[in-house]
PDB file of all heavy atoms in Angstrom:
ATOM      1  N   ARG Z  19    -139.452 -43.492-168.427  1.00 98.00           N
ATOM      2  CA  ARG Z  19    -140.247 -44.604-167.887  1.00 98.00           C
ATOM      3  C   ARG Z  19    -139.991 -45.824-168.700  1.00 98.00           C
ATOM      4  O   ARG Z  19    -140.302 -45.898-169.912  1.00 98.00           O
ATOM      5  CB  ARG Z  19    -141.741 -44.270-167.897  1.00 98.00           C
ATOM      6  CG  ARG Z  19    -142.574 -45.299-167.116  1.00 98.00           C
ATOM      7  CD  ARG Z  19    -144.056 -45.013-167.257  1.00 98.00           C
ATOM      8  NE  ARG Z  19    -144.846 -45.740-166.279  1.00 98.00           N
ATOM      9  CZ  ARG Z  19    -145.978 -46.298-166.587  1.00 98.00           C
ATOM     10  NH1 ARG Z  19    -146.482 -46.189-167.775  1.00 98.00           N
ATOM     11  NH2 ARG Z  19    -146.673 -46.956-165.669  1.00 98.00           N
ATOM     12  N   PHE Z  29    -146.383 -64.538-165.836  1.00 85.00           N
ATOM     13  CA  PHE Z  29    -145.508 -63.476-165.318  1.00 85.00           C
ATOM     14  C   PHE Z  29    -146.089 -62.882-164.046  1.00 85.00           C
ATOM     15  O   PHE Z  29    -145.329 -62.394-163.170  1.00 85.00           O
ATOM     16  CB  PHE Z  29    -145.356 -62.435-166.418  1.00 85.00           C
ATOM     17  CG  PHE Z  29    -144.534 -61.230-165.988  1.00 85.00           C
ATOM     18  CD1 PHE Z  29    -143.184 -61.314-165.895  1.00 85.00           C
ATOM     19  CD2 PHE Z  29    -145.115 -60.027-165.786  1.00 85.00           C
ATOM     20  CE1 PHE Z  29    -142.380 -60.238-165.562  1.00 85.00           C
ATOM     21  CE2 PHE Z  29    -144.367 -58.888-165.422  1.00 85.00           C
ATOM     22  CZ  PHE Z  29    -143.017 -59.018-165.321  1.00 85.00           C
ATOM     23  N   ASN Z  30    -147.389 -62.887-163.897  1.00 84.00           N
ATOM     24  CA  ASN Z  30    -148.054 -62.284-162.788  1.00 84.00           C
ATOM     25  C   ASN Z  30    -147.664 -62.966-161.454  1.00 84.00           C
ATOM     26  O   ASN Z  30    -147.788 -62.317-160.403  1.00 84.00           O
ATOM     27  CB  ASN Z  30    -149.587 -62.369-162.914  1.00 84.00           C
ATOM     28  CG  ASN Z  30    -150.088 -61.485-164.019  1.00 84.00           C
ATOM     29  OD1 ASN Z  30    -149.404 -60.533-164.385  1.00 84.00           O
ATOM     30  ND2 ASN Z  30    -151.233 -61.810-164.549  1.00 84.00           N
ATOM     31  N   ILE Z  51    -139.235 -56.183-157.276  1.00 96.00           N
ATOM     32  CA  ILE Z  51    -140.569 -56.178-156.726  1.00 96.00           C
ATOM     33  C   ILE Z  51    -141.094 -57.598-156.673  1.00 96.00           C
ATOM     34  O   ILE Z  51    -140.854 -58.409-157.571  1.00 96.00           O
ATOM     35  CB  ILE Z  51    -141.494 -55.286-157.599  1.00 96.00           C
ATOM     36  CG1 ILE Z  51    -142.927 -55.153-157.076  1.00 96.00           C
ATOM     37  CG2 ILE Z  51    -141.576 -55.823-159.089  1.00 96.00           C
ATOM     38  CD1 ILE Z  51    -143.754 -54.074-157.757  1.00 96.00           C
ATOM     39  N   SER Z  71    -142.914 -50.581-160.318  1.00 96.00           N
ATOM     40  CA  SER Z  71    -144.317 -50.935-160.174  1.00 96.00           C
ATOM     41  C   SER Z  71    -144.653 -52.029-161.128  1.00 96.00           C
ATOM     42  O   SER Z  71    -143.929 -52.255-162.087  1.00 96.00           O
ATOM     43  CB  SER Z  71    -145.262 -49.714-160.356  1.00 96.00           C
ATOM     44  OG  SER Z  71    -145.152 -49.199-161.660  1.00 96.00           O
ATOM     45  N   ARG Z  72    -145.780 -52.648-160.906  1.00 93.00           N
ATOM     46  CA  ARG Z  72    -146.179 -53.682-161.817  1.00 93.00           C
ATOM     47  C   ARG Z  72    -147.696 -53.604-162.088  1.00 93.00           C
ATOM     48  O   ARG Z  72    -148.470 -53.290-161.197  1.00 93.00           O
ATOM     49  CB  ARG Z  72    -145.740 -55.091-161.394  1.00 93.00           C
ATOM     50  CG  ARG Z  72    -146.368 -55.649-160.140  1.00 93.00           C
ATOM     51  CD  ARG Z  72    -145.621 -56.935-159.704  1.00 93.00           C
ATOM     52  NE  ARG Z  72    -145.550 -57.940-160.785  1.00 93.00           N
ATOM     53  CZ  ARG Z  72    -144.750 -58.989-160.805  1.00 93.00           C
ATOM     54  NH1 ARG Z  72    -143.865 -59.121-159.812  1.00 93.00           N
ATOM     55  NH2 ARG Z  72    -144.747 -59.823-161.750  1.00 93.00           N
ATOM     56  N   ASP Z  73    -148.055 -53.929-163.315  1.00 89.00           N
ATOM     57  CA  ASP Z  73    -149.462 -53.915-163.726  1.00 89.00           C
ATOM     58  C   ASP Z  73    -149.801 -55.391-163.942  1.00 89.00           C
ATOM     59  O   ASP Z  73    -149.688 -55.933-165.080  1.00 89.00           O
ATOM     60  CB  ASP Z  73    -149.596 -53.139-164.996  1.00 89.00           C
ATOM     61  CG  ASP Z  73    -150.982 -53.235-165.633  1.00 89.00           C
ATOM     62  OD1 ASP Z  73    -151.907 -53.552-164.911  1.00 89.00           O
ATOM     63  OD2 ASP Z  73    -151.083 -52.973-166.835  1.00 89.00           O
ATOM     64  N   ARG Z  74    -150.186 -56.099-162.960  1.00 72.00           N
ATOM     65  CA  ARG Z  74    -150.341 -57.524-163.019  1.00 72.00           C
ATOM     66  C   ARG Z  74    -151.375 -57.941-164.093  1.00 72.00           C
ATOM     67  O   ARG Z  74    -151.072 -58.845-164.853  1.00 72.00           O
ATOM     68  CB  ARG Z  74    -150.736 -58.083-161.689  1.00 72.00           C
ATOM     69  CG  ARG Z  74    -149.623 -57.907-160.662  1.00 72.00           C
ATOM     70  CD  ARG Z  74    -149.947 -58.560-159.337  1.00 72.00           C
ATOM     71  NE  ARG Z  74    -150.005 -59.988-159.423  1.00 72.00           N
ATOM     72  CZ  ARG Z  74    -150.664 -60.796-158.612  1.00 72.00           C
ATOM     73  NH1 ARG Z  74    -151.264 -60.269-157.590  1.00 72.00           N
ATOM     74  NH2 ARG Z  74    -150.662 -62.088-158.810  1.00 72.00           N
ATOM     75  N   PRO Z  75    -152.539 -57.315-164.252  1.00 76.00           N
ATOM     76  CA  PRO Z  75    -153.401 -57.761-165.299  1.00 76.00           C
ATOM     77  C   PRO Z  75    -152.816 -57.593-166.695  1.00 76.00           C
ATOM     78  O   PRO Z  75    -153.125 -58.331-167.592  1.00 76.00           O
ATOM     79  CB  PRO Z  75    -154.639 -56.872-165.097  1.00 76.00           C
ATOM     80  CG  PRO Z  75    -154.622 -56.470-163.653  1.00 76.00           C
ATOM     81  CD  PRO Z  75    -153.164 -56.288-163.372  1.00 76.00           C
ATOM     82  N   GLY Z  76    -151.880 -56.595-166.799  1.00 71.00           N
ATOM     83  CA  GLY Z  76    -151.322 -56.306-168.086  1.00 71.00           C
ATOM     84  C   GLY Z  76    -149.979 -56.947-168.328  1.00 71.00           C
ATOM     85  O   GLY Z  76    -149.369 -56.690-169.349  1.00 71.00           O
ATOM     86  N   ASN Z  77    -149.530 -57.807-167.427  1.00 88.00           N
ATOM     87  CA  ASN Z  77    -148.298 -58.532-167.566  1.00 88.00           C
ATOM     88  C   ASN Z  77    -147.079 -57.524-167.773  1.00 88.00           C
ATOM     89  O   ASN Z  77    -146.195 -57.825-168.581  1.00 88.00           O
ATOM     90  CB  ASN Z  77    -148.319 -59.456-168.769  1.00 88.00           C
ATOM     91  CG  ASN Z  77    -149.398 -60.515-168.576  1.00 88.00           C
ATOM     92  OD1 ASN Z  77    -149.810 -60.803-167.462  1.00 88.00           O
ATOM     93  ND2 ASN Z  77    -149.849 -61.073-169.692  1.00 88.00           N
ATOM     94  N   ALA Z  78    -147.084 -56.444-167.083  1.00 92.00           N
ATOM     95  CA  ALA Z  78    -146.007 -55.462-167.289  1.00 92.00           C
ATOM     96  C   ALA Z  78    -145.454 -54.974-165.970  1.00 92.00           C
ATOM     97  O   ALA Z  78    -146.121 -54.980-164.967  1.00 92.00           O
ATOM     98  CB  ALA Z  78    -146.522 -54.278-168.083  1.00 92.00           C
ATOM     99  N   VAL Z  79    -144.161 -54.629-166.045  1.00 95.00           N
ATOM    100  CA  VAL Z  79    -143.478 -53.989-164.940  1.00 95.00           C
ATOM    101  C   VAL Z  79    -142.841 -52.697-165.428  1.00 95.00           C
ATOM    102  O   VAL Z  79    -142.371 -52.678-166.546  1.00 95.00           O
ATOM    103  CB  VAL Z  79    -142.413 -54.910-164.344  1.00 95.00           C
ATOM    104  CG1 VAL Z  79    -141.658 -54.223-163.233  1.00 95.00           C
ATOM    105  CG2 VAL Z  79    -143.049 -56.197-163.810  1.00 95.00           C
ATOM    106  N   PHE Z  80    -142.805 -51.723-164.572  1.00 97.00           N
ATOM    107  CA  PHE Z  80    -142.344 -50.388-164.993  1.00 97.00           C
ATOM    108  C   PHE Z  80    -141.257 -49.932-164.061  1.00 97.00           C
ATOM    109  O   PHE Z  80    -141.196 -50.263-162.922  1.00 97.00           O
ATOM    110  CB  PHE Z  80    -143.469 -49.383-165.002  1.00 97.00           C
ATOM    111  CG  PHE Z  80    -144.684 -49.841-165.754  1.00 97.00           C
ATOM    112  CD1 PHE Z  80    -145.784 -50.389-165.112  1.00 97.00           C
ATOM    113  CD2 PHE Z  80    -144.706 -49.739-167.181  1.00 97.00           C
ATOM    114  CE1 PHE Z  80    -146.899 -50.820-165.834  1.00 97.00           C
ATOM    115  CE2 PHE Z  80    -145.792 -50.179-167.920  1.00 97.00           C
ATOM    116  CZ  PHE Z  80    -146.874 -50.704-167.205  1.00 97.00           C
TER     117      PHE Z  80
END
Side-chain angles (χ1 to χ4, degrees):
R19 188 183 193 222
F29 177 74
N30 292 337
I51 186 168
S71 61
R72 65 190 307 163
D73 173 22
R74 295 183 67 200
N77 300 337
V79 176
F80 308 99

